[in-house]
Amino acid sequence: MSLVLDPAAQDLLFREARTANTFTDEPVTEEQVQAIYDLVKYGPTAFNQTPLRIVLVRSAEARERLIPLMAEGNQAKTATAPLVAILAADNEFHAELPKLFPAFPQAKDAFFAERPVREASAGMNAALQAAYFIVGVRAAGLAAGPMTGFDHAAVQKEFLDDDHTPLMVVNIGKPGDDAWYPRSPRLAYDEVVTTV
């Protein structure tokens, strides 16, 4: 056995996990979200920059503002998911670097003084963290429905600010009836991996 993670956990996190399209009405608690974050915050990012920011859409009023900004095919599932999270990249993450990367606090100015450099780094590293977040949702026994089909500029204006770039919207909850589309194919190992 090449993997040390037990097969049931492998199934929960990867093989059996799927993008959910329907959910039950069982609520997702603040304690569950806290536990998810407390697990996934340890995933690596460059310079430990941790640029992911999460906006939990819990109130009916906020949900009503979000639904019309979603692509038509994503509106119904966003309307009925127990919890919706907007995942965004903080383009001003560098302000926290002296605290987050004490081994080299000068990284803030040495590498990230220019906004375009920060935006590129924030986007890449927040996307890594978003992937960790999805796996963390699965580790909590919940299903995630990540979506990039939405009006990014409108979500930024409505829920964020000019320093935060929305990456995805994630519906979260226990999977409902007919939650899964058929499993799509994946590339084989030798279609992806090259040894040099």
Side-chain angles (χ1 to χ4, degrees):
M1 183 71 163
S2 299
L3 301 174
V4 297
L5 192 64
D6 112 10
Q10 294 172 36
D11 288 344
L12 177 71
L13 299 179
F14 296 101
R15 284 191 290 264
E16 298 299 325
R18 308 279 287 287
T19 295
N21 294 289
T22 67
F23 298 89
T24 69
D25 58 2
E26 183 179 329
V28 176
T29 67
E30 190 65 30
E31 292 76 19
Q32 286 173 301
V33 178
Q34 179 76 49
I36 291 164
Y37 178 74
D38 285 342
L39 175 66
V40 304
K41 69 184 178 185
Y42 295 108
T45 57
F47 295 96
N48 197 34
Q49 63 187 249
T50 61
L52 181 68
R53 301 296 179 263
I54 303 167
V55 176
L56 299 177
V57 181
R58 286 200 182 273
S59 73
E61 178 271 329
R63 184 83 58 116
E64 289 305 314
R65 289 171 24 225
L66 178 61
I67 292 168
L69 308 181
M70 302 301 296
E72 186 175 341
N74 292 331
Q75 290 180 359
K77 52 191 168 186
T78 302
T80 57
L83 179 63
V84 180
I86 300 169
L87 305 188
D90 181 356
N91 297 306
E92 297 298 314
F93 68 86
H94 69 310
E96 301 290 341
L97 280 181
K99 174 175 74 174
L100 294 173
F101 199 62
F104 184 46
Q106 304 88 336
K108 173 185 182 286
D109 299 313
F111 295 106
F112 301 109
E114 297 179 13
R115 176 70 180 235
V117 173
R118 288 197 306 275
E119 288 178 355
S121 191
M124 165 68 117
N125 286 280
L128 280 173
Q129 289 187 280
Y132 305 143
F133 181 80
I134 292 166
V135 173
V137 168
R138 294 171 175 179
L142 301 169
M147 302 167 290
T148 56
F150 60 92
D151 184 331
H152 288 240
V155 166
Q156 182 178 31
K157 181 178 179 184
E158 190 69 30
F159 292 96
L160 303 165
D161 59 34
D162 290 342
D163 290 331
H164 295 80
T165 303
L167 301 174
M168 66 182 68
V169 174
V170 183
N171 294 327
I172 303 169
K174 294 281 188 182
D177 295 334
D178 300 317
W180 322 117
Y181 295 143
R183 170 76 79 191
S184 295
R186 298 297 194 267
L187 295 175
Y189 178 86
D190 35 354
E191 294 177 285
V192 174
V193 179
T194 304
T195 302
V196 296

